[in-house]
Amino acid sequence: MSLKSYIITRIILALPMILILLIMIFFILRIIPGDPVLAILGGKAPVEVIEAKRHELGLDKPIIIQFFDYLGDVAKGDFGVSTLTSRPVWSEIKDRFPATLELTIFSFILALIIGIFWGAEAAWRKDKAIDISARVYSIFIYAVPVFWLGLMLQLLFGIYLRWLPVGGRLSPRVSLDIKTGLFLLDSLISWNWEAFWDVLKHLLLPGVTLGLVISSIFLRMVRNNTVLMLSKDFVKAAKARGLKPKVVLYGHALRNAFVPIFTIMGMQFALLLAGAILTETTFSWPGIGSYLVLKIKYRDFPAIQGTIIFFAIFVVIISIVIDIVNALVDPRVRY
Amino acid sequence: MIRVNNLKKYFPVKRTVGEVLLRVPQRFVKAVDGIDFTISKGETFGLVGESGSGKTTTGRLILRLVEPTSGKIFFEDIEITKLSKEELRKFRKNMQIIFQDPMAALNPYMKVGEAIKHGLEIHNIGDINKERKNMVMKMLERVNLSPPEDFYYRYPHELSGGQKQRIVIARALILKPKFVVADEAIAMLDVSVRSQLLKLLIDLKNEFDLTFLFITHDLATTKYICNKIGVMYLGKIVEIGNFKEIYNEPLHPYTKALISAVPEPDPKKKKEKLIPEGEVPNPINPPSGCKFHPRCPYAMDVCKVEEPSLKEFKNRKIACHLY
């Protein structure tokens, strides 16, 4: 099977998965307590108003009919209209998503840098201080809840030291032309250094919080796999040939350690989105995670469903990309 | 050409946090516990022993792939144990290693031709890439992988075990080393391939004028290649000398047992088998006195108390109270 047909198969296989997810989220939302109409209008609205709103939202139809109506719309690419804001869900998600993407990419890169360099050096000097500290760090950070870490960093850098803002993406006084929605990129494109600096300052706390949490998993993975690879004969052979130690470590051991790490990273990306929900809420980051939390509060069914499907599609795309990169990098992987 | 003086390697046994706090003394696995031997130029020295006897560690110590705890290693007149890291790195082209498991010995990401060429690049042998590539092609042909163009661009996983081991051999010999450690170089291969590779090693040894340290647990193969052997047991050499003399008349009880275990091709020739009882003892906590005494059929009282030293006896050196 060629890579191309493998990718097509993967996409086709992802469709039933998304459908099942859709069914689950659709019915669970309607089973759990809470009524979107009451959430919007409040408990004291007259009965007629409530009934009118319910009819308007189509919630007075039987659930099965509602489901097939929704499914038909989704098949046409229409994710409905938010019950809270009356705006199309898809465009709301599109507005919010770049913020999450920026946060995730920043955290991911930070986690990679910490994980790779610290992990590789820890493996090289196994059981020395650098390795023991890496192990303690990764267990500690892994055990700490994201929001707690976020709150502590806010307290330290935002409240006591007053170095960094505790929330938001951009100070209201700073103006920025938004093109991609990734503010760092936008400010760079327009050579707007004031905005770039401001965006970076806003990004730093949530980015570091999320990045540290993910780095703990990377660090352990990189360290353990590199330790394993360093014990292999081909690494000794490279050393016996007279290769410089750093090249042995980064060129031979780490490179081979990377296959499983890469796969895990793809899965971590999904977890990263979950972490983003907590981080975004802590830092009032206007991304898709805080969007989801807000919409759950108001029982905004179409918005919640749309966001979940969006997450699912995103994760599927990431995992396919990871597979493609794996196939390109590793000569042993054939589809 | 190679001279080893009182070489020791003790691996620390990992203590738990509790043990460190309770100040339980650090214990060691005495993988190699004070061995001496010399290998003359052109000689093939066979190091035999059971698993865990320290023979692999010895091989790696000589190449300084593992740092010795104490002792000296001389390569011709150069004391390898005194070389700085950078000097050692450059010196490495003189001594190479052939590993046991060809699967593990090749980087799965490197085309095998590139893997062989890599050594030339590290040591700046050959001027241009084309010249280096030609050298690799010749080497591939020499280890009977022909036509070489068919093999140069392959990845290790596309080759068979025997082919991979030929690559490992080519990779070691392309640097024109004077000394090669063959660590169980043919043990992992199919029996049918073994004899071919053994023959290849013998041919290459003569052609490249190599000195070999041939590490094996299989005495039957030493017969075809070694002129000298050393028998190791729990980090010590118990008998060392000319191969033929030891093979025909083993003196140490452990050597006798090893040689009696070599399969005899002629079924009519019945021979007595002296398989030692029990397992190799735990090297962290070796027996007192002669380390072999719990398994030795000739053990005397003195063996339990006093450790025998290596003494000259009948053209060889032997560590046993019997002689």
Side-chain angles (χ1 to χ4, degrees):
Chain A
M1 195 161 50
S2 72
L3 186 60
K4 201 166 136 196
S5 55
Y6 170 79
I7 293 166
I8 293 168
T9 323
R10 278 290 299 266
I11 292 170
I12 293 170
L13 284 176
L15 289 176
M17 188 196 85
I18 290 172
L19 181 68
I20 292 168
L21 194 71
L22 189 78
I23 294 172
M24 279 169 58
I25 190 70
F26 188 89
F27 287 100
I28 287 173
L29 278 176
R30 281 155 181 80
I31 289 166
I32 56 169
D35 182 341
V37 177
L38 290 181
I40 301 165
L41 298 175
K44 287 182 182 137
V47 181
E48 306 87 69
V49 178
I50 293 176
E51 286 307 320
K53 187 80 183 169
R54 181 155 291 156
H55 182 73
E56 186 199 323
L57 297 177
L59 292 171
D60 52 349
K61 291 184 206 163
I63 280 195
I64 295 294
I65 305 289
Q66 284 183 38
F67 176 70
F68 282 106
D69 282 354
Y70 181 67
L71 203 60
D73 287 346
V74 169
K76 281 182 275 174
D78 176 6
F79 283 81
V81 172
S82 161
T83 57
L84 188 64
T85 60
S86 304
R87 287 185 58 209
V89 168
W90 202 242
S91 76
E92 283 198 327
I93 291 176
K94 248 171 35 197
D95 287 349
R96 287 271 194 154
F97 180 62
T100 301
L101 192 64
E102 187 166 42
L103 176 64
T104 351
I105 292 175
F106 182 87
S107 324
F108 204 70
I109 292 172
L110 179 71
L112 271 184
I113 293 170
I114 296 177
I116 290 175
F117 290 102
W118 199 355
E121 294 296 327
W124 187 254
R125 287 185 278 271
K126 190 167 167 281
D127 293 328
K128 297 287 179 344
I130 190 170
D131 179 32
I132 293 166
S133 57
R135 272 144 55 191
V136 172
Y137 164 86
S138 62
I139 287 180
F140 178 75
I141 294 286
Y142 191 64
V144 162
V146 191
F147 58 87
W148 186 83
L149 188 66
L151 288 173
M152 290 303 124
L153 290 176
Q154 274 179 337
L155 205 58
L156 182 62
F157 293 103
I159 311 292
Y160 294 146
L161 297 172
R162 296 199 166 274
W163 288 353
L164 298 166
V166 293
R169 285 183 83 189
L170 191 64
S171 304
R173 58 185 170 76
V174 179
S175 64
L176 176 66
D177 286 344
I178 295 162
K179 291 193 190 86
T180 59
L182 303 170
F183 285 4
L184 276 183
L185 200 62
D186 284 336
S187 56
L188 275 181
I189 292 172
S190 53
W191 294 102
N192 187 344
W193 288 110
E194 191 199 2
F196 181 80
W197 190 236
D198 191 62
V199 169
L200 190 64
K201 266 161 77 177
H202 279 86
L203 185 56
L204 218 50
L205 276 187
V208 166
T209 306
L210 193 53
L212 288 185
V213 172
I214 306 296
S215 77
S216 66
I217 304 161
F218 281 177
L219 178 55
R220 280 192 77 82
M221 288 283 305
V222 172
R223 182 219 168 248
N224 290 351
N225 277 300
T226 312
V227 165
L228 183 75
M229 286 302 155
L230 282 173
S231 72
K232 297 266 176 179
D233 282 346
F234 69 81
V235 170
K236 294 207 183 72
K239 193 178 162 192
R241 256 177 275 157
L243 197 60
K244 293 202 170 83
K246 288 283 138 152
V247 187
V248 174
L249 174 61
Y250 287 100
H252 289 251
L254 188 67
R255 168 126 201 240
N256 278 284
F258 237 77
V259 177
I261 295 170
F262 214 75
T263 312
I264 293 285
M265 272 192 323
M267 292 190 259
Q268 286 300 320
F269 217 86
L271 268 179
L272 200 65
L273 290 174
I277 294 175
L278 288 169
T279 315
E280 286 179 9
T281 311
T282 311
F283 290 94
S284 28
W285 188 260
I288 206 167
S290 55
Y291 174 78
L292 183 63
V293 172
L294 178 80
K295 295 299 183 179
I296 289 174
K297 206 157 118 198
Y298 284 99
R299 295 290 185 273
D300 190 339
F301 292 167
I304 300 169
Q305 285 154 195
T307 313
I308 301 281
I309 295 168
F310 181 78
F311 270 159
I313 293 172
F314 189 64
V315 170
V316 167
I317 291 172
I318 289 287
S319 72
I320 291 176
V321 168
I322 292 272
D323 279 340
I324 296 170
V325 175
N326 252 347
L328 296 178
V329 171
D330 188 345
R332 288 166 299 180
V333 176
R334 288 287 169 268
Y335 295 102
Chain B
M1 167 150 173
I2 295 284
R3 192 149 53 84
V4 171
N5 266 351
N6 199 20
L7 188 64
K8 285 182 185 170
K9 179 65 191 179
Y10 295 173
F11 289 107
V13 179
K14 227 179 169 177
R15 291 182 295 178
T16 63
V17 176
E19 280 170 341
V20 173
L21 291 177
L22 288 171
R23 292 172 191 264
V24 174
Q26 176 71 57
R27 288 176 306 169
F28 293 94
V29 176
K30 299 183 176 177
V32 175
D33 193 9
I35 60 172
D36 299 83
F37 60 82
T38 54
I39 308 173
S40 317
K41 189 156 176 52
E43 208 169 50
T44 300
F45 179 65
L47 204 52
V48 294
E50 280 166 291
S51 350
S53 59
K55 51 193 195 304
T56 294
T57 308
T58 307
R60 291 184 181 179
L61 281 171
I62 295 176
L63 301 183
R64 252 182 88 183
L65 288 176
V66 177
E67 290 297 322
T69 307
S70 70
K72 290 177 180 172
I73 302 156
F74 293 91
F75 186 105
E76 288 167 347
D77 292 325
I78 300 149
E79 189 175 346
I80 298 178
T81 29
K82 273 203 179 140
L83 293 179
S84 75
K85 285 212 166 115
E86 194 53 28
E87 287 168 333
L88 178 68
R89 207 171 65 69
K90 291 191 175 128
F91 190 74
R92 287 196 179 282
K93 64 173 184 288
N94 296 313
M95 43 187 203
Q96 283 294 307
I97 180 163
I98 299 168
F99 290 97
Q100 171 172 22
D101 181 0
M103 190 74 209
L106 292 168
N107 186 340
Y109 279 142
M110 283 180 105
K111 290 180 181 133
V112 296
E114 303 290 332
I116 299 172
K117 202 174 73 182
H118 197 204
L120 297 175
E121 285 158 5
I122 294 168
H123 295 283
N124 270 320
I125 303 170
D127 278 339
I128 43 172
N129 199 30
K130 213 174 152 198
E131 191 184 338
R132 286 176 185 157
K133 211 161 145 183
N134 275 335
M135 291 164 86
V136 175
M137 292 293 183
K138 265 188 209 144
M139 199 66 217
L140 281 170
E141 225 159 18
R142 185 57 204 90
V143 294
N144 301 333
L145 292 174
S146 54
E149 307 82 46
D150 279 7
F151 290 93
Y152 191 95
Y153 298 103
R154 300 251 211 123
Y155 284 102
H157 69 274
E158 298 169 320
L159 303 179
S160 73
Q163 289 170 335
K164 270 185 277 209
Q165 194 64 311
R166 287 170 197 271
I167 298 287
V168 173
I169 292 170
R171 186 179 64 182
L173 295 188
I174 192 104
L175 292 172
K176 302 259 185 305
K178 297 175 192 162
F179 174 64
V180 173
V181 174
D183 184 1
E184 304 265 19
I186 56 171
M188 292 273 278
L189 303 172
D190 278 356
V191 180
S192 55
V193 185
R194 261 190 229 176
S195 60
Q196 294 171 19
L197 272 162
L198 194 60
K199 189 171 176 302
L200 177 68
L201 281 177
I202 294 168
D203 291 348
L204 289 170
K205 177 194 172 307
N206 296 330
E207 198 177 314
F208 288 79
D209 199 15
L210 297 170
T211 306
F212 258 118
L213 174 65
F214 199 81
I215 297 167
T216 179
H217 62 269
D218 177 16
L219 259 170
T221 52
T222 54
K223 191 151 64 171
Y224 301 102
I225 188 163
C226 297
N227 352 72
K228 188 176 172 186
I229 62 166
V231 180
M232 277 190 86
Y233 188 75
L234 278 180
K236 294 244 175 193
I237 288 183
V238 294
E239 189 164 1
I240 183 170
N242 181 288
F243 175 78
K244 276 198 184 109
E245 285 176 29
I246 291 184
Y247 195 81
N248 294 331
E249 194 198 357
L251 291 177
H252 194 284
Y254 182 61
T255 318
K256 280 184 189 168
L258 281 183
I259 287 173
S260 79
V262 174
E264 176 58 60
D266 184 355
K268 283 175 200 143
K269 257 196 201 164
K270 281 252 155 64
K271 64 174 188 183
E272 192 191 358
K273 287 213 170 169
L274 305 157
I275 308 295
E277 284 169 34
E279 293 282 317
V280 181
N282 183 352
I284 300 175
N285 215 346
S288 60
C290 171
K291 286 174 178 169
F292 189 57
H293 85 256
R295 302 169 76 191
C296 179
Y298 312 101
M300 304 171 287
D301 286 344
V302 60
C303 302
K304 289 174 194 161
V305 202
E306 197 186 324
E307 185 159 16
S309 56
L310 213 54
K311 284 169 299 216
E312 296 269 356
F313 186 79
K314 278 201 188 171
N315 295 330
R316 69 189 81 176
K317 280 181 183 163
I318 185 165
C320 181
H321 289 302
L322 288 172
Y323 307 99

